Amino acid sequence: MPLTETIRVALRAILTNKLRSALTMLGIIIGVAAVILLAAIGNGSSLQIRSNIESLGSNLLQISPAAAREGGVSLGAGSRPSLTLADVNAIATQDPAVAAVVPVLSISAQVVAGPNNYQTSIQGTSWNYSQVRPTPVSLGRSFTPQEQARSATVAVLGTTVQQALFPNGANPIGQTIDIKGVPFTVIGVLQTQGTAGFANQDDRIIIPITTMENDLDSVPFVNQILASAGSPEEMNLAQAEITATLRAAHHLAPSQANDFQIFNQATLLQSLNQVSATLTTLLTGVAAISLLVGGIGIMNIMLVSVTERTREIGIRKAVGATRGVILTQFVVEAVTVSALGGVLGALVGILGSGLAGRLMHTPAPVSWPSVGVALIFALLVGVVFGVYPARKAALLKPIDALRFE
Amino acid sequence: MEALIRMESVVKVYFIGGQEFQALRGVSLTVEPGEYVAIMGPSGSGKSTMMNILGCLDKPTSGRYWLDGVEVSTLDDDQLAVLRNQKIGFVFQSFNLLPRTSALENVELALLYAGVRQQERRRRAIEALEQVGLGDRLQHRPNELSGGQQQRVAIARALVNHPRLVLADEPTGALDSQSSEEILALFQTMNDAGHTVVMVTHEPDVAQHAKRIIRFQDGHIVQDHLNEQRRAAPAAALGGARHALD
Ligand SMILES: Nc1ncnc2c1ncn2[C@@H]1O[C@H](COP(=O)(O)OP(=O)(O)OP(=O)(O)O)[C@@H](O)[C@H]1O
Ligand SMILES: [Mg+2]
């Protein structure tokens, strides 16, 4: 008997029991949709993490002083000041793989504007900070090389600081604020960045590093040096160059350890990708289990169906259906249920991913491999869980089937 | 001419709850092509058991059975399915039509498993249904047909493959006398057309339509004779027939 006929017979059997078929399908629909949805959400959150990290600046290398050790006990990164503005200059002039390099010297200070005051982080850096860490302004402008050269008392506010100091939506540009008793003119406000990475990027004030050193904090050290490599491929080269430059600048003997540490963004991305891949696998695994449960549902219903249709099987056998024909009929029936469920589930999963993305304000792009895998898995579930009941039907003795009450 | 049915010492034992029960106790029988045989006998005497074995729906516990020259016990399940499809047409007391399936498709079923193509299948199924007078009921489902009409669909299904042997187990058992007459007329036409018919019945006047009457009792054939009352019963019909009484 040709397969098209077998499929027709199977479709008819499915259609005569619409509600039951639909309920059976539901297990598969939920399973497939869950696989696709969870893969999409996992995919989306890993993209989100990636873009968060990349918003810190592309190809970013963070250089901080090494942890000081006292009696073998680490006091934590940055506890031993070792980086200077001279280091920044050395890196800028000697390291070709480094596209841009800026110092960061931060202090925490009370800031006053009229009746309002606010404790925040003051970061002194170079005019080209934005080349390493993209920090566009939403109002006004950043400071210029000239302003940096003459240690101008100008400040660019993060939005959190802006809201704290100018709560009524007053335009802060041109206003004077007071940092540790020194009056600064507000020349710009940063775009809102959110908590990218570790700290609230909107709760800070950026001023020229020169002004910081002259007026607020005269230590000869900087807290951090930020550098960006020319391209993602140059990350490791840049790291090596910086290491060599700093070791030379700090006169370290070959036997001495680095008195600084370099934090490579690429490495972080890699390990985060690994974490999110593990997470995605885990979520998909959970969803796959629900597909398996759906498969058991199919088997259950097919077993009921075989029992219910014993007489039908008897009649078919009496008029000449072979075991193979009966087996195929029931397997095709199970596979049709699982395939239909799979396709519907894929639709639900794809639409659901779009909806979830919108609801959670996180992109949840459908991963097409996950759709493929879920569909194949659904089909497989149909075959695996359809074969046993179908075999049972095929092996029925014609006379027993006909006499079945 | 070779016998269509040849049975030798066929025994059928059923096991119920560890107890064995002999439904057939060594039946031997020969039926020639073209015969019209009625099987009678009290309830529980083994008639249906006999029919199931004749129809290759069940296997004898011991003894041998040749259908159209083929020894059935040498065939496997799938070969038996093909044999049933090609050589045997069944008519049951309870019709045994597929529910929720049109008369046309019920008749087509036998052709479907014979591997006949869709168009040819349709044509032959319609022809068979017209032969049994149901040309205007093609799309009716069993629950939309009377008992007599359902049995005629079953007969059309039994005939559509032009089987050599038609087996009918109490085909009129569930029908009124009017419908019974119509069904019996169909069997008569079939037999006239050369099909061999074996029919189980409880009603003597139904049995009178047959050319030969066999009586069962306690798993034995106790009587096997030509139907004297039937007009123009060809004597040749009994030519190769014999029966065994243990
Ligand atoms: N599947 C079975 N298992 C056990 N015993 C059976 C089975 N089928 C039939 N029998 C027994 O075999 C005997 C013969 O049964 P069979 O159905 O052949 O009788 P029958 O002559 O057709 O009777 P009726 O005229 O009532 O249809 C009965 O005693 C019955 O109980
Ligand atoms: Mg009976």
Side-chain angles (χ1 to χ4, degrees), chain A residues 74-135:
Chain A
S74 170
L75 297 184
S79 50
R80 183 175 56 172
S82 64
L83 301 173
T84 63
L85 281 177
D87 291 339
V88 178
N89 283 331
I91 292 170
T93 51
Q94 294 168 24
D95 299 348
V98 174
V101 57
V102 296
V104 179
L105 176 53
S106 325
I107 59 167
S108 182
Q110 191 77 10
V111 185
V112 184
N116 303 307
N117 66 74
Y118 185 66
Q119 178 87 23
T120 187
S121 156
I122 318 293
Q123 299 187 342
T125 185
S126 290
W127 59 274
N128 58 344
Y129 180 74
S130 207
Q131 289 175 0
V132 182
R133 291 271 302 262
T135 41

Side-chain angles (χ1 to χ4, degrees), chain B residues 43-44 46-49 51 93 169-170 200 202:
Chain B
S43 187
K47 304 182 297 293
S48 294
T49 306
M51 290 296 266
Q93 178 177 5
D169 194 349
E170 301 190 46
V200 170
H202 279 291

